[in-house]
Amino acid sequence: MSKGKVLIAGSNATAIEVQGGRFGATGQYLNETVVPAMALIAAGYEVVLATPNGTKPHIDPASDAPEHFGGDAAGYQKAKTFWAEDPSMNNVLTLGAAIEQGLENYSAVFVPGGQGPVVDLMTDADMGEILRHFHEAAKPTALLCHGPIAVVSAMPHAREFRSALIAGDEAKAREWAKGWQYAGYRMTVFSDTEEKVVEDYILHAKLYFNMIEALSAAGGKVSKTTVDFEPNVVIDRELITGQNPRSDHPIAAALIEALDRRQVR
């Protein structure tokens, strides 16, 4: 018998705008999606994948490699097979359908990274409604790498906030963020120095804003590791955030621990 359902909110983005008006390929990271999903299932939880338009997320090619599984070729192939064949990764709902079916049926929500959430989930109205539900109910809310940027969607003026960031107007962004549910929360996210590696070697261009700058402008108390790409998970109340791809196993463990704690109440 399932111990409960966890909603995995994925992205449908395939490209991200970079400075100069160009676009770079992006998507959702394979390991950040399947490592926590597989861990949740192994721990007795059911996972349900949902995206803005109800189609399966696009996997960022940069993540489709054994290096993101600690160099474990067998682990990488197991993850690929799970992503390709497991019903939980293929019976995809829209975020709206998840809401209609009743968010009270879910014990937690998890948002994986890759840069996709910066493109769509950050300003998605359904994502915002989902996060507000989990915040108000104090149910575990876990977000990994770029995933934490999705918490911006809980703002009444998420689109205006994002536009102000793109325009480089931090003061205006802070104005739009007033009343944000997660103001004052401790959190982490993919760092500026880690992003520079992606900008230099994958995108070959700069993003319009970095994630720490964005969440700090919103009112978050954002921290990062002193060494890039070291695992890092920050927990504050119901919010569980992981910094980077190597935080996949630690955030899965933290989420399962939070869920199991609620089982024994």
Side-chain angles (χ1 to χ4, degrees):
M1 182 180 293
S2 169
K3 290 160 69 175
K5 288 200 296 187
V6 176
L7 181 63
I8 299 180
S11 168
N12 289 128
T14 59
I16 187 167
E17 190 174 7
V18 295
Q19 291 186 24
R22 295 186 298 105
F23 287 85
T26 196
Q28 189 163 298
Y29 259 45
L30 178 64
N31 67 302
E32 295 179 22
T33 307
V34 302
V35 167
M38 292 169 73
L40 284 161
I41 291 169
Y45 293 93
E46 179 184 350
V47 300
V48 176
L49 178 61
T51 64
N53 68 21
T55 62
K56 194 171 179 178
H58 169 72
I59 293 298
D60 190 325
S63 73
D64 194 356
E67 67 185 88
H68 289 291
F69 296 84
D72 178 2
Y76 165 63
Q77 286 303 323
K78 182 179 179 182
K80 292 265 287 183
T81 300
F82 176 82
W83 175 251
E85 299 178 6
D86 195 89
S88 69
M89 298 290 100
N90 290 282
N91 298 328
V92 186
L93 300 178
T94 63
L95 296 176
I99 294 168
E100 289 170 10
Q101 291 176 11
L103 294 176
E104 67 277 6
N105 297 316
Y106 293 94
S107 302
V109 62
F110 170 63
V111 182
Q115 291 167 322
V118 187
V119 179
D120 56 4
L121 297 185
M122 183 178 181
T123 57
D124 187 274
D126 289 333
M127 185 79 254
E129 183 173 345
I130 290 165
L131 287 168
R132 288 191 295 272
H133 166 85
F134 282 89
H135 170 72
E136 290 161 11
K139 292 192 287 188
T141 303
L143 311 98
L144 178 58
C145 197
H146 289 81
I149 203 67
V151 292
V152 165
S153 67
M155 294 178 190
H157 300 287
R159 289 186 181 277
E160 292 88 345
F161 176 80
R162 187 177 187 274
S163 294
L165 290 175
I166 290 172
D169 191 341
E170 186 176 317
K172 181 59 72 174
R174 289 181 184 276
E175 284 291 318
W176 286 121
K178 284 183 177 176
W180 186 46
Q181 293 81 351
Y182 299 100
Y185 272 65
R186 292 181 297 105
M187 59 186 71
T188 190
V189 69
F190 200 61
S191 75
D192 47 352
T193 47
E194 290 168 335
E195 196 80 79
K196 189 174 188 307
V197 176
V198 177
E199 290 172 334
D200 289 351
Y201 296 102
I202 298 174
L203 292 175
H204 305 290
K206 284 186 67 62
L207 297 180
Y208 279 99
F209 58 88
N210 69 61
M211 304 308 108
I212 289 180
E213 159 190 299
L215 292 179
S216 296
K221 295 182 178 178
V222 191
S223 62
K224 65 174 185 175
T225 56
T226 54
V227 178
D228 286 346
F229 298 104
E230 282 297 299
N232 181 34
V233 171
V234 174
I235 303 171
D236 189 351
R237 289 158 277 187
E238 82 279 6
L239 191 67
I240 305 167
T241 50
Q243 181 175 324
N244 50 38
R246 289 188 62 203
S247 304
D248 54 357
H249 288 281
I251 201 170
L255 176 54
I256 291 165
E257 182 180 349
L259 283 163
D260 287 348
R261 250 193 334 265
R262 291 176 66 88
Q263 291 280 327
V264 297
R265 284 183 180 178

